[in-house]
Amino acid sequence: MSEAVVVLKRNRKLAIGALGGLALALGALQAVVEPALPLLQRELGVGAGEGALVGNALLVTGAVVAPVAGELGDRYGGKRVLVALMGVVSAGGVLASVAPGLPVLLLGQVLQGVMVGALPLSFILVRKHLPVGAARVAMGLVMALFTGGGTVGTLVAGPVAEHLSWRAMFALPTVVVVVMTSVVARLLPHDPPSPSAGGIDWPGMVLLSGTLLTFMLGLVRVTGAGLPPLGAGAVAVAVAALAAGWVAVERRAASPMVDLRLLARPALWHACVLTSVITTAFGMVAFLLPQLFAVPADGYGFGLGTTGIGLLLLPGAVAGAVGDAVGGVAARRLGLRTVLVVGALVTAATTFALASLHTAAWQLVLAKALTALAAGVGTTALLTRAATAVGTGDTGVVTGLLVVTRVIGVALGAQVGAALLDAGADPVTGLPAESAFATGFAVAGLVSALSLLVVRVTKKGFRA
C-alpha cells in the first residue's frame, strides 16, 4: 500500500472523528438553553411561554432546514453543504453571545437552528465513506455524540452563566464549532454528488419550508399567545393548503425533492409517526422538569439555580446519549417492535408516576434518565432502520425528514407543556400551580401510551 493511500485513509478517519467532535459541539450549543431557561426568563423578564420560544426558535429553523439540507447534500455533496451551514451556525452563535435582549437572542437562535441540518449531512458523509455495517454504527455514534454534546452543554451551562455570563454559554461552543468545521473541511475528501436527472426542485423546497415554518410559528402562537379559534383555524387552513400544494408539486416534478413513493414505504411513514409521538412526550418532560426545579423551595419546588438544575439534568443527558448510541444495535438484536413497546411502557409508567410523585429531586432525576433513554433508543432505532432501507442517493432526504419529525415533536411537547404552565399560573405571583405540572406529566403519559396503539396498528409493517 502506497504512502499516499495510507495518509488518505488516516485523514479520512480523522475527518470522521472531527464530524463526531462537530456533533458534540453542536449538541452543547443546542443544550445550554435548557438548564439556563429559568435564568434567561428572569434576565429577559419573560414568562414560560416566551421562555419556550427561546428554546424553540432554534427548532423552528431546524424544522425548515433539515429536509432541505439533506436534499442539497444528496445533490451537491454533503461536505460542501455542511461547511456552508456551519458558517451560518457560527454567525448565530456570535449573535446570541452579544445579544442585548430577547429579539436579538431569538435571531441568533434562529440562525443556530441551521445546525439541525448537520445531522442528515453527517449521515450522508458516513454512508458514502463507510461500508453499510460500519455506517449503521457510525450513524448511531454521531447521533449519540450530538446528544452527548447535550450532556456537556447541560453540565457547563450553569457554571459558565453564573461565573461569566449567559452570553458566554453561546460563545464557547461556537469556537469549537469553528475549529471542528475547519478540520472537516481540510481533511475529509469531497463526496461526489448523487446523479440526478434534473435540477433542484426549488418550488418543492419553498412549499415544504413554508409548510413547516407556518406550522411551527402557528404552534408557538396557538400554545403561547393563545390565538382565538378563528386564528387557530386560519393557521390550520394555511398549513393544509401549503402541504397540499407541496404534494401536488412533488407529484408533477421531473426531479422531486422527495420521491413520494418513499413516503409510501412502511419503514418510513411508520418511523415518522412513531418518532413524532415519542418525541412529543419526551419534549413535555424535558421542558417541565427544569421549570419545576426552579420553582421556589418555600412551596412545592426546589429553588435551584442554573448550576443545580444542570447537575440534576446531567444523568438524563447521559442516558439520552447512551440511548442514541445503542438504538440501532438494540433494534437489530431484539427487534424494532420490541424496542418501541418497551420504551413506550417505560415512558408512560414514568410520566404517570411523576404526576403524583414529584416531591423529591431523585424522583425527577430518575424520570428524566428513563424517558431520555427510552426516547433515544426508540428514535435512533427508527432512523437507522429507515436510513438503511433506501439507497445512498436518498439517505439525506430520508434522514432529514426523520430529523425534522424529531425536532417538531420536541418543540410540540415543549410548547404544550408551556401552555399548561401558563394556564395554571397564579395571577399574583405568576408561578404555575403544582396541579399544572401534574397535568403536564399526565398528558405526557397519555401521549406516550398512544405510541403503543400506533405500534399495534402497524404491526404488519414491522413484520415486513
Side-chain angles (χ1 to χ4, degrees):
M1 184 179 298
S2 68
E3 183 178 350
V5 173
V6 172
V7 171
L8 179 61
K9 288 188 175 182
R10 183 172 66 247
N11 287 347
R12 184 172 296 179
K13 289 181 180 179
L14 289 173
I16 294 294
L19 275 179
L22 180 60
L24 194 70
L26 292 174
L29 187 58
Q30 181 187 34
V32 291
V33 170
E34 183 181 0
L37 195 53
L39 180 147
L40 289 173
Q41 290 171 204
R42 292 194 301 270
E43 291 284 332
L44 301 172
V46 300
E50 291 170 302
L53 180 58
V54 173
N56 282 345
L58 184 149
L59 300 181
V60 170
T61 308
V64 173
V65 168
V68 176
E71 169 69 5
L72 292 175
D74 282 333
R75 296 293 186 94
Y76 294 119
K79 175 185 170 181
R80 180 184 303 176
V81 179
L82 177 66
V83 172
L85 291 189
M86 290 307 98
V88 178
V89 172
S90 301
V94 171
L95 196 59
S97 67
V98 299
L102 180 61
V104 178
L105 177 60
L106 288 176
L107 178 58
Q109 286 288 90
V110 166
L111 294 178
Q112 289 175 67
V114 172
M115 75 172 65
V116 178
L119 287 175
L121 292 170
S122 296
F123 297 147
I124 290 172
L125 293 171
V126 166
R127 185 77 190 274
K128 288 183 177 179
H129 289 291
L130 295 175
V132 174
R136 287 189 178 186
V137 176
M139 286 180 187
L141 288 176
V142 169
M143 184 67 78
L145 286 168
F146 185 80
T147 308
T151 304
V152 176
T154 299
L155 185 61
V156 304
V160 170
E162 293 173 355
H163 296 290
L164 296 176
S165 74
W166 59 264
R167 293 179 176 82
M169 298 187 313
F170 301 102
L172 296 179
T174 300
V175 172
V176 182
V177 169
V178 172
V179 172
M180 290 296 103
T181 302
S182 300
V183 175
V184 172
R186 181 178 178 82
L187 297 182
L188 190 68
H190 282 286
D191 54 308
S194 299
S196 174
I200 290 292
D201 176 23
W202 292 112
M205 283 192 176
V206 171
L207 284 169
L208 179 60
S209 299
T211 301
L212 293 172
L213 188 60
T214 304
F215 173 78
M216 294 293 288
L217 293 178
L219 171 66
V220 170
R221 291 286 297 167
V222 169
T223 59
L227 282 180
L230 186 60
V235 170
V237 170
V239 171
L242 287 168
W246 176 70
V247 171
V249 166
E250 295 303 278
R251 292 181 64 182
R252 292 176 172 81
S255 183
M257 175 187 176
V258 177
D259 186 346
L260 295 181
R261 291 172 297 181
L262 290 176
L263 295 177
R265 295 186 184 184
L268 185 55
W269 72 265
H270 289 177
C272 288
V273 172
L274 284 164
T275 296
S276 65
V277 175
I278 292 170
T279 52
T280 298
F282 176 70
M284 293 187 68
V285 176
F287 178 80
L288 291 172
L289 290 184
Q291 301 291 325
L292 183 53
F293 282 133
V295 172
D298 56 358
Y300 58 87
F302 299 86
L304 297 177
T306 303
T307 299
I309 293 173
L311 289 173
L312 292 182
L313 293 178
L314 182 60
V318 173
V322 172
D324 282 334
V326 304
V329 176
R332 188 168 64 249
R333 294 188 176 181
L334 303 176
L336 180 59
R337 189 166 183 265
T338 299
V339 167
L340 295 173
V341 168
V342 171
L345 289 173
V346 168
T347 303
T350 301
T351 47
F352 281 134
L354 271 180
S356 57
L357 299 175
H358 49 257
T359 55
W362 69 265
Q363 296 168 342
L364 307 186
V365 171
L366 179 61
K368 178 63 184 295
L370 290 174
T371 53
L373 179 65
V377 171
T379 56
T380 302
L382 289 164
L383 187 147
T384 55
R385 179 211 190 196
T388 54
V390 299
T392 55
D394 294 315
T395 302
V397 171
V398 169
T399 56
L401 288 173
L402 286 174
V403 168
V404 75
T405 302
R406 184 170 175 159
V407 165
I408 289 174
V410 172
L412 176 60
Q415 288 296 152
V416 170
L420 292 173
L421 295 190
D422 280 341
D426 185 282
V428 178
T429 64
L431 295 174
E434 184 177 7
S435 60
F437 284 100
T439 300
F441 292 132
V443 171
L446 290 173
V447 173
S448 183
L450 178 62
S451 61
L452 291 171
L453 177 61
V454 176
V455 171
R456 179 169 181 78
V457 169
T458 59
K459 62 182 179 180
K460 291 182 179 179
F462 285 108
R463 291 197 188 105

